[in-house]
Amino acid sequence: MRHRGAGQGRAEQGRAGQGTAEQGRAPRCALGSGRTLRSPPGRNDRADGAGRCVEEGEEEEEETGRGLRVHVVANRALRNNSRMTLQEESAEAGSGMSQKQLKEAFVSHLNGTNLLELSAGTPLAPLCVLCRGLLLVLYCQRYGSTFRSGPAALLLDVAVLVSPLLLSCTVLPHALLVAPAVLAALCAGIYVTIHRQRQRDSTVPLRQIVRSFQNTRLDPGCIPAITVFRVYVNVLTCISILAVDFPQFPRRYAKAETYGTGIMDLGVGAFIFSNALVCPEVRQEAAGTRPRFSSLAKQLFAIWPLVVLGFGRLVSVKSIGYHEHVSEYGVHWNFFFTLALVRLVASLLLAVFPINKSWIVAVTVAVLYQLTLNVTSLKTFILHGSNGEDTRTGFLNANREGLLSIFGYLAIYMASVQVGLYVLKRRDSVKDWMGAACLLLLAALVLFVFLHISQTHTDPVSRRMANLSYCLWVIASCLTFFVSFVVVDLVLLFTKLLVKGSAVPSCWRAVKAPGSKEQQAEAVHVCLIAAINKNQLLFFLLANVMTGVVNITIDTIHSRAALTLCILHLYMFLNCFIMYILHTKNIVLKFW
């Protein structure tokens, strides 16, 4: 990090003085970015005469200097990818920095990336699923049987379903716009190969197959896109929570400090969305059996593991001095508490209001919360505390981000309940699902338009506050992601019609007639997606534990690319392997 001269520092101080009292606590420099970042207009930065990059709200000059040295050390480590130890780096900066402080600085004061980059990367995971499915159909076409080998199937799934995502957010971050195009070209090549082989082996015209595909009957009780969507939200989250601690993970993909859109910002909201999509209220409504308060009783029983996990994380983090980003949720709060409380409050609301009007509740909560942020001093309180100096005295001050962002997450949850009701409506034909996919995509486009309006006239996206813009962004992005998986399922279904006897796990199966399932040889290899889906909470918990172990035992900040890839691949493979073993033994570790 280069130090600016005194004249330049004073000039930037003057420009900073133009802000209002509502700015997030974003610094004038971003860790590892090497450039000045401008957050929405806000409070004046307190900078020294040398124009150093410092955080707002520091009460003592000594604290200001210490904060500067944190960023100097972390930024130098990122830029040089040095093999020097943390102690040597700290001594060089004259600060005596601990590893905990250095890692906290490494993930702090970031501003995210742009919506275009995130949207361009959305098709990557669906294309991985499509590529795996086409490879299995091609194997069946070549060898006349389905792919059944267990260990080989696990390796195939990890290599095709997981590795491309891992690579795209570490050593190939600049290829995020290119990777989907490359995968799409690969899928097109595989499909052309299948089609040419079919032309040699079959005399059935393609037009007839297309007509047959449009009239294909589907199992209405099975919607693979929901399962795949939920699993991939979990997988992407698990990759990110460890990868973010390595220098190869682009800082723009990490969680933004106050305003901004990073991949990890989206992951938090997507987790809420995926939970609401199949919540007890939605499933009971789809089945036509919904006693008014039965879902509330189920939620009370179902959230206790989340509360236990929340307290477990709190105790473990505090007891071992593990690094934590306080401005994410607060001093004592964490995402497990947020998810548990959101599910409980949502069940209370759904017991009072009609479930098919949940979108009205979502809009009401999101709009009223945003109005409160704009009209009152609530925004200032969330960003700067009750005294304007980022105090953490008292439970509410200490955990203000986690407690007050619940209103935004609640709005996302209620809107997702409405999406779940629509998705779980009975549809048993390809035409029905084509129409549903088009409608969901149209809804996503409308929400993106509202997002633009919201960012222009209210606030930019802020996960820290979970404001209206954040809610719109999460729901629109999740709808687009889900529709992508629906389209992939339809493409794979059509491809299976080209090759008789072919089978793809976690994909739609055609049925002979309404109500009668086709007897198929679809006892295909154990699918990684199905394995993770069976123990999703355990998968997420194991990922959190492994992340902690890696951070305690390894100097992640100074890891070279080769070591980073080895650690991340081993971490994901071990987690997937455990899920695979449990699935083969038909073990579900869910006792609530």
Side-chain angles (χ1 to χ4, degrees):
M1 181 183 294
R2 288 191 289 270
H3 293 271
R4 290 187 282 258
Q8 184 180 355
R10 286 190 292 270
E12 290 199 6
Q13 278 188 296
R15 288 195 295 271
Q18 297 174 1
T20 66
E22 295 181 350
Q23 179 186 3
R25 297 175 52 80
R28 300 293 297 171
C29 291
L31 178 61
S33 66
R35 66 179 186 275
T36 300
L37 295 174
R38 301 197 182 275
S39 297
R43 302 195 318 172
N44 295 346
D45 291 340
R46 296 182 179 179
D48 59 16
R52 294 177 296 185
C53 170
V54 297
E55 181 184 2
E56 293 178 10
E58 295 289 353
E59 298 180 2
E60 300 291 336
E61 180 64 28
E62 179 182 353
E63 286 296 312
T64 302
R66 187 169 65 88
L68 172 62
R69 288 192 292 272
V70 172
H71 299 298
V72 169
V73 173
N75 204 35
R76 180 182 296 122
L78 178 62
R79 186 177 67 247
N80 297 330
N81 196 20
S82 172
R83 299 301 297 170
M84 194 179 296
T85 64
L86 291 173
Q87 290 77 10
E88 290 171 334
E89 287 282 1
S90 299
E92 182 180 336
S95 61
M97 290 291 303
S98 69
Q99 183 173 350
K100 177 178 181 291
Q101 292 169 321
L102 190 59
K103 288 192 173 184
E104 286 173 353
F106 192 58
V107 296
S108 301
H109 311 304
L110 307 173
N111 281 30
T113 184
N114 56 71
L115 293 177
L116 178 61
E117 183 177 16
L118 292 177
S119 300
T122 299
L124 186 58
L127 285 170
C128 291
V129 176
L130 179 60
C131 184
R132 192 277 304 260
L134 292 175
L135 287 173
L136 293 177
V137 174
L138 180 62
Y139 179 92
C140 179
Q141 188 181 52
R142 289 288 177 88
Y143 299 102
S145 63
T146 56
F147 192 76
R148 297 174 181 273
S149 174
L154 175 63
L155 292 175
L156 173 68
D157 283 355
V158 172
V160 180
L161 299 179
V162 177
S163 286
L165 305 175
L166 200 155
L167 292 172
S168 68
C169 67
T170 52
V171 296
L172 301 175
H174 300 295
L176 186 60
L177 301 177
V178 180
V182 173
L183 265 179
L186 177 60
C187 291
I190 298 173
Y191 174 78
V192 169
T193 303
I194 294 171
H195 178 63
R196 286 178 177 174
Q197 184 64 36
R198 186 205 69 86
Q199 286 181 320
R200 290 194 291 267
D201 297 341
S202 175
T203 58
V204 180
L206 184 61
R207 288 182 180 179
Q208 183 176 334
I209 295 178
V210 172
R211 285 196 298 269
S212 175
F213 167 71
Q214 292 175 340
N215 297 319
T216 298
R217 312 293 295 188
L218 303 174
D219 181 3
C222 176
I223 307 175
I226 294 180
T227 300
V228 179
F229 170 82
R230 298 182 72 242
V231 166
Y232 259 105
V233 168
N234 209 335
V235 168
L236 289 167
T237 302
C238 292
I239 290 174
S240 300
I241 60 175
L242 179 58
V244 70
D245 295 317
F246 290 89
Q248 288 74 26
F249 188 89
R251 298 299 91 192
R252 66 184 186 277
Y253 293 170
K255 290 179 180 177
E257 182 74 15
T258 301
Y259 295 100
T261 52
I263 290 176
M264 295 187 70
D265 293 307
L266 178 59
V268 178
F271 222 95
I272 298 288
F273 185 97
S274 66
N275 269 264
L277 207 58
V278 292
C279 67
E281 292 85 0
V282 171
R283 294 198 300 268
Q284 289 181 1
E285 186 73 16
T289 57
R290 184 176 176 255
R292 195 165 184 79
F293 289 95
S294 65
S295 297
L296 178 59
K298 287 185 177 180
Q299 285 284 29
L300 283 171
F301 187 63
I303 65 173
W304 73 263
L306 295 173
V307 177
V308 172
L309 290 174
F311 280 108
R313 175 178 171 79
L314 173 62
V315 171
S316 60
V317 166
K318 299 300 181 183
S319 61
I320 67 176
Y322 191 76
H323 66 278
E324 55 182 333
H325 194 185
V326 174
S327 64
E328 281 189 38
Y329 299 104
V331 178
H332 313 103
W333 204 259
N334 57 59
F335 182 68
F336 291 112
F337 291 142
T338 294
L339 183 57
L341 192 56
V342 166
R343 288 177 60 172
L344 180 61
V345 175
S347 291
L348 286 170
L349 292 175
L350 292 172
V352 176
F353 297 100
I355 189 171
N356 59 348
K357 304 297 183 184
S358 58
W359 70 272
I360 298 178
V361 179
V363 171
T364 302
V365 171
V367 171
L368 288 179
Y369 177 53
Q370 183 63 52
L371 285 174
T372 306
L373 288 173
N374 288 352
V375 175
T376 69
S377 60
L378 183 62
K379 183 190 299 184
T380 303
F381 172 72
I382 294 175
L383 299 182
H384 309 300
S386 58
N387 65 350
E389 297 293 337
D390 199 23
T391 178
R392 293 288 173 179
T393 304
F395 183 78
L396 183 58
N397 266 308
N399 304 286
R400 55 185 184 266
E401 294 92 349
L403 292 171
L404 293 172
S405 63
I406 286 175
F407 291 104
Y409 291 125
L410 180 62
I412 294 173
Y413 192 97
M414 296 299 289
S416 307
V417 166
Q418 191 73 52
V419 175
L421 287 176
Y422 179 74
V423 169
L424 289 180
K425 285 177 62 177
R426 183 182 177 89
R427 297 181 183 86
D428 55 6
S429 71
V430 169
K431 283 184 177 180
D432 290 343
W433 273 105
M434 284 181 172
C438 290
L439 189 60
L440 290 172
L441 186 59
L442 178 62
L445 293 175
V446 171
L447 288 174
F448 275 120
V449 172
F450 282 129
L451 171 61
H452 175 73
I453 297 172
S454 177
Q455 291 202 108
T456 303
H457 297 286
T458 57
D459 267 341
V461 172
S462 173
R463 174 203 44 81
R464 186 174 177 181
M465 292 182 284
N467 59 3
L468 177 61
S469 296
Y470 179 75
C471 296
L472 291 170
W473 175 52
V474 167
I475 298 169
S477 299
C478 287
L479 285 176
T480 306
F481 199 43
F482 175 75
V483 169
S484 300
F485 286 119
V486 173
V487 172
V488 164
D489 264 351
L490 293 174
V491 172
L492 289 176
L493 179 63
F494 176 77
T495 308
K496 288 196 296 182
L497 295 178
L498 300 179
V499 181
K500 187 177 181 180
S502 61
V504 178
S506 299
C507 176
W508 263 314
R509 296 195 303 267
V511 295
K512 289 182 178 178
S516 66
K517 297 181 182 179
E518 184 182 13
Q519 298 298 321
Q520 307 174 35
E522 290 224 9
V524 293
H525 73 264
V526 176
C527 176
L528 179 60
I529 293 174
I532 295 174
N533 182 61
K534 188 171 285 188
N535 287 286
Q536 287 218 48
L537 184 57
L538 178 63
F539 182 79
F540 183 63
L541 179 60
L542 281 175
N544 276 268
V545 173
M546 290 183 186
T547 297
V549 171
V550 170
N551 272 283
I552 291 172
T553 57
I554 294 176
D555 178 10
T556 56
I557 295 180
H558 301 97
S559 297
R560 295 190 183 275
L563 179 61
T564 297
L565 288 179
C566 289
I567 292 172
L568 291 176
H569 275 95
L570 181 61
Y571 152 78
M572 287 303 298
F573 180 79
L574 285 176
N575 209 344
C576 292
F577 181 71
I578 293 172
M579 298 301 105
Y580 171 83
I581 294 298
L582 293 176
H583 188 55
T584 56
K585 303 295 183 182
N586 199 27
I587 298 175
V588 180
L589 296 180
K590 183 176 181 179
F591 42 87
W592 57 88

